[in-house]
Amino acid sequence: MTTTIVWIAAALLLVAVYLSWTAGRLDRLHARIDAARAALDAQLLRRASVAQELATAGVLDPAASIVLYQAAHDARQAEEEQREVAESELSQALRAVFAEGAQLEAVRAAPGGEATAEELAAAVRRVPMARRFHNDAVRAARALRRHRKVRWFRLAGHAPFPLAFEMDDEPPAVLADRTGPPREGH
């Protein structure tokens, strides 16, 4: 009788340790999602800020400036439910404005334009990476939350089901090219 109780207690202890470990893993995944979302938000804000700054600098043609400024402004001011659409529209505006290399050359020719062009290129390249990191973390958390043990024992607590950030993040071809023209002094 005593041996049976000891074995049952040991089994329950092992199950409790396993469930605790799983809950901790899920908690770490949720923390990773939060950190990745903060990084994504920072990259999206940086991209919108650089685009807005460029649109008001007077180096682009007036129509391109208006399109780019409005898309960047909308992306920065979008409510959470409309954010993916607004960011996609900014990506589309960037591709439209920089569809030809002439606009990029106009930016580079302006005083301080080379640095601005590099900053914009870096911003548009970092957004897809940040989105991929976020969505990978979401995918991992979703996979763990689908397990029966997580659902049955409610190991996710009251944490909302993680959602991926879906948007058009394809950069303009002229800004996505890392090789670009050689810079002086390098």
Side-chain angles (χ1 to χ4, degrees):
M1 174 85 165
T2 309
T3 338
T4 307
I5 292 174
V6 169
W7 282 110
I8 290 173
L12 287 175
L13 180 65
L14 286 175
V15 168
V17 166
Y18 179 71
L19 290 175
S20 175
W21 176 81
T22 303
R25 181 172 167 226
L26 189 58
D27 187 50
R28 287 187 301 276
L29 282 171
H30 283 161
R32 187 172 138 207
I33 289 170
D34 290 343
R37 181 57 190 248
L40 175 61
D41 287 342
Q43 292 304 324
L44 292 171
L45 180 62
R46 181 172 181 238
R47 180 181 75 153
S49 297
V50 172
Q52 214 169 16
E53 180 183 316
L54 186 58
T56 58
V59 295
L60 300 174
D61 67 63
S65 292
I66 291 170
V67 167
L68 192 57
Y69 180 83
Q70 190 60 49
H73 177 74
D74 291 348
R76 289 181 72 172
Q77 300 300 317
E79 296 292 326
E80 192 58 37
E81 331 46 79
Q82 297 299 318
R83 184 102 187 264
E84 292 171 348
V85 173
E87 294 294 347
S88 293
E89 288 173 354
L90 177 55
S91 295
Q92 293 164 2
L94 284 164
R95 283 196 308 272
V97 168
F98 293 104
E100 300 169 11
Q103 291 285 21
L104 186 58
E105 292 310 314
V107 170
R108 285 191 169 138
E114 188 67 36
T116 302
E118 289 298 319
E119 188 176 1
L120 181 62
V124 300
R125 282 193 307 259
R126 287 182 180 146
V127 166
M129 287 188 297
R131 190 175 75 87
R132 195 171 359 208
F133 290 143
H134 174 267
N135 289 350
D136 286 347
V138 166
R139 218 175 348 273
R142 283 180 168 182
L144 184 58
R145 286 181 71 152
R146 283 191 194 105
H147 291 178
R148 279 188 214 118
K149 66 182 175 266
V150 173
R151 291 191 320 263
W152 289 349
F153 293 101
R154 300 190 195 310
L155 298 181
H158 297 290
F161 195 73
L163 299 174
F165 194 87
E166 299 299 333
M167 64 171 274
D168 172 2
D169 60 5
E170 183 181 336
V174 297
L175 293 175
D177 181 21
R178 290 177 182 253
T179 56
R183 295 182 304 201
E184 294 178 25
H186 292 275

